Amino acid sequence: MHFLRRDAARTASAVLLASFLAACGEATVTAPAPDALFVPPDVTAHLDVTPAVNDVIIRVGDPGEFTNPITPTNALRITGAFWDNLSADNNASTINCNIGFYAVGTISPLCSTESPGTYQNRGGYDRYFGDGPADRDAAGFRFSGDYIYTVEFLGSYAGAVSEVGWYTISPSGTYQFNPVADWGAGNVTGASVTINTGGLDWGFYITNAFAAWEGGCRVNTYCTDATGGFTSAPKQQFSLMLNSANSTYLVGIEDNRLDLLPNQFTRDSDYQDYIFSVVPNAIPEVCDFMTFGRLVTEVNGQKVVISGNAGGNAPDGGILTEFHVEVNGRDYHVSDISSYGAIANGALAGLPNARVWTGTARTGETVQLRLWDGGEPGADADRAYVSVNGTAYLGALGAEIDQGNVQYHATCRGPKR
């Protein structure tokens, strides 16, 4: 059985990202709790076989492809690719500073506003993602939630600080934004993270106060799934490149309007203000199960009762499960879950004998349950976390149960895979 593996149909029961994110001001957007949803890189297992590009890159609205080789110039996008433009970091007409030069390794060491360490990380990519005539336009994209990703911040050529981070999007279209302070500040050292979304597609985003954003995924915010290219809103502020082995992706971000250097070089379209490498990794396998009998707890007047079991291999495929979550007298019955496994981030992460699973209730709600077998007896030892449609009812970190018992079983049940 594969932990957090979705079926090919990419159903609407895809996993909801760790749901301790708090609601934001906009009805369809939530913002993260202070503790970031990152896990240490050493929890991932590298793939023996490089996944196909079409499995990793989710095309959004545009038929983007990795077709043309990267042949960087300063000829402007009217004759070259969307990033083939003069850069505001270009201190002389002979200096090459846009993302194309960075991707192939020929960017000048004299480009201004470089964050320390950026130049040393240059090179290694030979194709770019585009659409439109001659694939010169930028295309919308996300990364598939079927993998865990090692994301390395390679550096920055930015004259001002933006908020930069990564987002997920739920099956219903809800964005969740996760800022990374080191990225926005241009701090290369220590800014590499592992992103495990629990099955949701994800991408990068940028927002700041000095750019006049046109459209976007949030007020004053652009995401990698923008479909307008450089000609219409929502404009695509991101470039995507690929190495020859199809194993590592390069993402470059433009932090300003996609103008070609008006206003005394205060704006440009060089797409190298923030630069990242992205590597998809294997999702660890797990085969065990949990049983739990009438767990009862209450936090801030919210009474939650949980009963059932989850984990192991169903004979006809999928994951064995049957559980009920009752919140303030309303019962959510779940018999079909899309994921089950160890907790990489968020509530109860890192605890031994803790598991997370997500499924769809028979009444249509997305229910995520996290349990920890903290010892015997279960009361005042075991912990539970539950969310329904993204609303956490037992706090951001979960709560100790008042009644009942969680039992973790290390052995696999059901047919071997």
Side-chain angles (χ1 to χ4, degrees):
M1 180 184 73
H2 294 283
F3 169 42
L4 298 179
R5 181 67 64 189
R6 294 182 299 177
D7 62 86
R10 302 175 58 81
T11 64
S13 62
V15 179
L16 186 68
L17 177 67
S19 302
F20 62 92
L21 302 176
C24 185
E26 296 179 61
T28 59
V29 180
T30 56
D35 45 337
L37 303 181
F38 304 146
V39 293
D42 59 6
V43 304
T44 63
H46 287 282
L47 292 160
D48 294 328
V49 178
T50 300
V53 172
N54 288 342
D55 292 335
V56 174
I57 300 301
I58 306 301
R59 291 154 177 81
V60 183
D62 302 314
E65 296 293 342
F66 291 96
T67 54
N68 288 346
I70 299 172
T71 53
T73 73
N74 289 315
L76 304 182
R77 57 180 173 237
I78 58 175
T79 57
F82 58 93
W83 38 260
D84 274 329
N85 306 310
L86 290 168
S87 170
D89 308 302
N90 183 351
N91 293 318
S93 61
T94 57
I95 294 180
N96 299 320
C97 295
N98 66 46
I99 189 64
F101 295 107
Y102 190 89
V104 301
T106 58
I107 192 168
S108 171
L110 302 178
C111 298
S112 62
T113 68
E114 177 199 350
S115 293
T118 303
Y119 180 74
Q120 286 79 2
N121 293 326
R122 70 196 185 281
Y125 302 87
D126 59 5
R127 283 169 292 157
Y128 72 91
F129 190 70
D131 69 354
D135 298 299
R136 297 201 332 261
D137 198 10
F141 66 93
R142 302 185 192 119
F143 291 95
S144 168
D146 285 341
Y147 303 95
I148 296 174
Y149 294 83
T150 300
V151 177
E152 182 179 359
F153 179 51
L154 300 180
S156 172
Y157 294 91
V161 174
S162 298
E163 178 183 304
V164 182
W166 56 281
Y167 71 90
T168 60
I169 186 166
S170 72
S172 64
T174 299
Y175 285 84
Q176 294 175 325
F177 298 93
N178 308 286
V180 183
D182 280 336
W183 293 357
N187 297 327
V188 175
T189 303
S192 295
V193 301
T194 297
I195 295 178
N196 178 3
T197 67
L200 293 179
D201 298 339
W202 68 277
F204 293 92
Y205 79 91
I206 184 171
T207 183
N208 57 51
F210 55 82
W213 306 97
E214 301 172 53
C217 49
R218 182 177 60 172
V219 175
N220 289 338
T221 304
Y222 266 120
C223 294
T224 54
D225 53 13
T227 57
F230 59 79
T231 59
S232 61
K235 290 188 176 179
Q236 177 55 274
Q237 306 284 141
F238 300 84
S239 59
L240 179 64
M241 277 81 167
L242 181 62
N243 68 353
S244 59
N246 291 348
S247 61
T248 305
Y249 299 82
L250 183 77
V251 175
I253 305 179
E254 175 53 52
D255 69 355
N256 218 313
R257 292 180 61 181
L258 299 181
D259 294 337
L260 298 179
L261 302 173
N263 303 336
Q264 290 73 51
F265 291 82
T266 59
R267 298 172 182 165
D268 60 356
S269 280
D270 51 19
Y271 293 84
Q272 41 71 303
D273 297 280
Y274 299 92
I275 308 170
F276 303 85
S277 67
V278 180
V279 178
N281 297 306
I283 296 176
E285 293 185 353
V286 63
C287 189
D288 50 39
F289 69 101
M290 301 189 88
T291 56
F292 35 100
R294 193 165 176 77
L295 313 181
V296 181
T297 190
E298 184 173 334
V299 173
N300 296 327
Q302 303 279 357
K303 183 179 180 181
V304 176
V305 181
I306 306 166
S307 297
N309 65 88
N313 298 320
D316 57 349
I319 306 165
L320 291 167
T321 188
E322 189 81 27
F323 71 94
H324 292 259
V325 173
E326 183 180 303
V327 180
N328 293 331
R330 180 171 180 178
D331 180 54
Y332 301 94
H333 182 192
V334 180
S335 56
D336 179 24
I337 60 176
S338 54
S339 67
Y340 169 90
I343 304 175
N345 45 49
L348 310 186
L351 294 173
N353 305 337
R355 292 291 181 260
V356 56
W357 54 96
T358 302
T360 303
R362 294 183 178 180
T363 47
E365 297 84 0
T366 299
V367 181
Q368 184 183 96
L369 183 59
R370 299 169 180 235
L371 296 178
W372 175 45
D373 182 356
E376 306 303 325
D380 300 322
D382 298 341
R383 294 186 70 88
Y385 168 95
V386 63
S387 71
V388 178
N389 280 347
T391 299
Y393 287 98
L394 298 178
L397 301 178
E400 290 183 347
I401 64 171
D402 300 320
Q403 301 175 39
N405 192 23
V406 177
Q407 288 287 327
Y408 168 79
H409 305 272
T411 57
C412 192
R413 64 175 181 167
K416 300 293 183 181
R417 293 285 188 253

